[in-house]
Amino acid sequence: MSRRLPITVVGSINRDIVVHYDTLPRIGETVFGEHLSFGHGGKGANQAFAASRLGGDVAMVGRVGQDEYGALACRVLATEGCAVAGVRTLGDLSGQALVLVGRDAGNRILVIKGANGQFTARELERDAALLARGGLVLLQLEIPLETVVLAAEKARAGSARVLLDPAPAIALPLELLQVIDILTPNQTELAALTGRAPASHAEVIEAAQQLRAQGPGAVIVKMGAEGCLLLDANGPRRFAAPAVEAIDTTGAGDCFNAALAVSLAEDASLADACRFAVVAASLSVTRQGAQASAPQRVEVEELLARVTTGSVQIRRR
Ligand code: RIB
């Protein structure tokens, strides 16, 4: 490997409380769940963890509460080799997420922000040095928007490439879109950000074009089992996903962004980084949990080689 740019993740850190269910209760109804577990999550921490596991040179910037979970979250990230000097304690409670996973492997998530919600732009100034080191900066939307905007501006000023995962989706100000290099909505977020409900690949491309016209150099739409669609100056390209048996899609989008960043940090083209990211995310959905489902580098490379040689089935529409 000739070079490996640093990756800085600015974002949320959550304890995940995961409930597997068969039937969702209606209002006024009580039903039994299938299984309860606790895991390590938060869209920011998931990206930092997966990128570290895939071999990235990663630093996490975030806030946790003074509770036991905050210290544990840092230890878990550090175990994968992620630098955690930018994770500071703020307030009492770390972020918590109630993750409901159905038999179809889909998830519904309710987040209590905790310390993530107190991570203001002023707080971020304490970690400005980490944003000045260039490389790639990964952002999501589980911390205050003003902090995301400042992080993107500082990253740009430090010549970093800025990736924004617009999750959970909220209206994005132009000042933010204009300092984003790569925007990575899933299809739900694409619909929320454009006010359209794209039903075909052609409509997904149109919606991605609408977003790209507002500033980002590239828009990558994460399409789950359909792989992803990359729209950049070279036009639209789709990257199919290998057929896998999905059991839990929690954190798959985070794994995608992590793998994309690791590949770009190693000087891959956007197209090659998309191929790598689609395969990494496909592996992650075959396991339970958010951080717990992040694949090892060797697994991604092996499956990618099989995909490239055509020895593994690719989903096509
Ligand atoms: O993207 C999955 C993550 O969303 C979960 O880990 C949960 O913590 C929420 O942040």
Side-chain angles (χ1 to χ4, degrees), residues 12-17 39-44 46 95-99 107 109-111 116 142 165 167-168 249-254 289-291:
S12 58
I13 302 168
N14 293 336
R15 179 174 78 137
D16 284 355
I17 304 155
H40 307 295
K43 296 186 195 301
N46 293 347
Q96 317 279 324
L98 178 60
V99 182
N107 61 71
I109 303 178
L110 276 167
V111 175
N116 301 308
E142 285 186 332
D165 192 3
T249 57
T250 311
D254 303 325
Q291 290 173 32

Side-chain angles (χ1 to χ4, degrees), residues 10-299:
V10 182
S12 58
I13 302 168
N14 293 336
R15 179 174 78 137
D16 284 355
I17 304 155
V18 185
V19 175
H20 288 257
Y21 69 88
D22 192 9
T23 311
L24 269 184
R26 288 170 298 183
I27 291 173
E29 188 184 25
T30 301
V31 299
F32 292 106
E34 300 290 304
H35 178 247
L36 172 79
S37 60
F38 297 93
H40 307 295
K43 296 186 195 301
N46 293 347
Q47 294 183 7
F49 182 94
S52 303
R53 181 168 276 185
L54 289 169
D57 169 12
V58 185
M60 176 77 205
V61 179
R63 297 294 180 266
V64 290
Q66 282 164 355
D67 50 9
E68 278 179 21
Y69 186 71
L72 176 58
C74 286
R75 283 201 299 278
V76 169
L77 287 170
T79 306
E80 283 300 324
C82 178
V84 292
V87 180
R88 304 173 193 271
T89 52
L90 188 62
D92 296 332
L93 183 72
S94 295
Q96 317 279 324
L98 178 60
V99 182
L100 304 174
V101 182
R103 283 194 186 264
D104 62 356
N107 61 71
R108 296 158 194 261
I109 303 178
L110 276 167
V111 175
I112 300 298
K113 292 179 189 171
N116 301 308
Q118 298 174 51
F119 187 10
T120 57
R122 189 165 170 199
E123 267 290 320
L124 180 67
E125 296 287 1
R126 302 170 70 189
D127 303 300
L130 283 167
L131 289 166
R133 58 187 198 138
L136 291 104
V137 170
L138 275 58
L139 306 169
Q140 328 75 37
L141 298 172
E142 285 186 332
I143 58 174
L145 184 60
E146 59 158 25
T147 313
V148 175
V149 173
L150 183 67
E153 288 170 352
K154 283 190 178 296
R156 258 292 169 89
S159 300
R161 212 163 169 183
V162 186
L163 280 71
L164 174 64
D165 192 3
I170 50 168
L172 299 177
L174 265 187
E175 60 173 326
L176 176 58
L177 285 167
Q178 287 174 354
V179 287
I180 299 303
D181 294 289
I182 305 173
L183 185 70
T184 63
N186 64 21
Q187 286 170 287
T188 308
E189 292 145 7
L190 182 69
L193 292 174
T194 59
R196 300 163 175 240
S200 64
H201 286 152
E203 287 174 4
V204 169
I205 293 170
E206 280 172 25
Q209 282 165 336
Q210 180 182 329
L211 282 181
R212 186 166 177 269
Q214 294 174 66
V219 175
I220 300 173
V221 184
K222 296 183 276 192
M223 299 168 67
E226 298 287 315
C228 76
L229 175 111
L230 163 65
L231 176 73
D232 64 3
N234 298 315
R237 277 162 291 172
R238 197 163 76 81
F239 300 89
V244 294
E245 192 177 336
I247 62 164
D248 181 358
T249 57
T250 311
D254 303 325
C255 179
F256 182 101
N257 280 49
L260 188 77
V262 167
S263 192
L264 292 174
E266 294 171 5
D267 219 11
S269 66
L270 256 183
D272 282 344
C274 282
R275 286 186 191 96
F276 187 78
V278 162
V279 167
S282 298
L283 283 167
S284 80
V285 303
T286 65
R287 295 155 199 174
Q288 287 182 354
Q291 290 173 32
S293 65
Q296 300 287 344
R297 177 76 179 232
V298 63
E299 297 176 283

